[in-house]
Amino acid sequence: MPDTPYVPPKVWTHDAPSGGQFANINAPTAGARVERALPVGKHPLQLYSLATPNGVKVNIMLEELLASGHAGAEYDAWPIRIADGDQFGSGFVEVNPNSKIPALVDHSAEGGPLRVFESGSILLYLAEKFGAFLPRELRARTETLNWLFWQMGSAPFLGGGFGHFYAYAPEKYEYPINRYAMEAKRQLDVLDRQLAEHRYVAGDDYSIADMAIWPWYGVLALGELYGAGEFLSVQDYQHVQRWAAEIAERPAVIRGRKVNRTWGEEAEQAPERHSAADLD
């Protein structure tokens, strides 16, 4: 930590970039920064995203729907390269005013194209549209939504908290790393206790809760997130390990992880997806 303690000013101003991996795109204002229309493919569902944990959730859902025989879930996927600021193009901002991936447009919706943004909202929308991966019975449905929204509320502490200070901040600071490492491990323990009693997060059936949680906590448990597996002793969460490994082997998950991926092994990348052949 710096020798001179930081004293917050009476009024905060954005005088200079804060540093870190994404400093060049961060700003305290919203809205479009450049005029740029979004491409539109041939399918009713148009996905604009990137294969980050939040993006992979929706990729998996779409591929699981197709694997289950829902032909209407065919989609075009277009990359939004967030490091380049694509999310601030005017077309993307029209779909998601919050300038975050993923974002979906359903051109088959009654009344014209319908925008859907926020990953949890997209998962719920698709589950209801196709009647899949979300139980209809009240108690089971509610439990699934409990865990879907658990992920939505918890993951920012893992990503924006732990991930930022452990992997992306310009310097390593003990206090925030300790604070968010403790919270990340607490969340893993919550999940581990749930999975000790259930095959999947919300019960006996695979659901949108698993699709939302796995790209964050499953990938973390497999040692593939932030290079933090050893640091967080993820091997200690045996039930999370079992669940994470099982889901990682699902063909739709393997396919979904490739969609809008622009880094890593070339065989694992499909920056654009317009048909199943793009993932073969």
Side-chain angles (χ1 to χ4, degrees), residues 17-73:
S18 58
Q21 185 167 336
F22 300 104
N24 64 313
I25 60 172
N26 291 333
T29 55
R33 300 179 188 175
V34 62
E35 289 294 321
R36 184 180 301 148
L38 289 175
V40 179
K42 64 181 180 179
H43 300 298
L45 296 177
Q46 298 292 303
L47 178 65
Y48 305 95
S49 191
L50 198 66
T52 66
N54 282 334
V56 166
K57 300 175 193 176
V58 177
N59 303 349
I60 290 173
M61 176 61 165
L62 288 165
E63 292 298 324
E64 291 283 10
L65 287 168
L66 291 170
S68 297
H70 295 279

Side-chain angles (χ1 to χ4, degrees), residues 228-250:
E230 181 179 6
F231 181 75
L232 294 175
S233 302
V234 295
Q235 72 280 354
D236 294 346
Y237 305 96
Q238 296 181 6
H239 305 293
V240 176
Q241 289 287 332
R242 181 268 306 164
W243 166 82
E246 179 179 348
I247 292 181
E249 294 176 356
R250 295 180 67 92

Side-chain angles (χ1 to χ4, degrees), residues 239-270:
H239 305 293
V240 176
Q241 289 287 332
R242 181 268 306 164
W243 166 82
E246 179 179 348
I247 292 181
E249 294 176 356
R250 295 180 67 92
V253 172
I254 293 170
R255 296 173 69 80
R257 296 188 77 182
K258 297 179 182 180
V259 177
N260 292 149
R261 188 175 179 88
T262 60
W263 62 89
E265 297 290 333
E266 185 173 353
E268 300 303 315
Q269 298 183 36

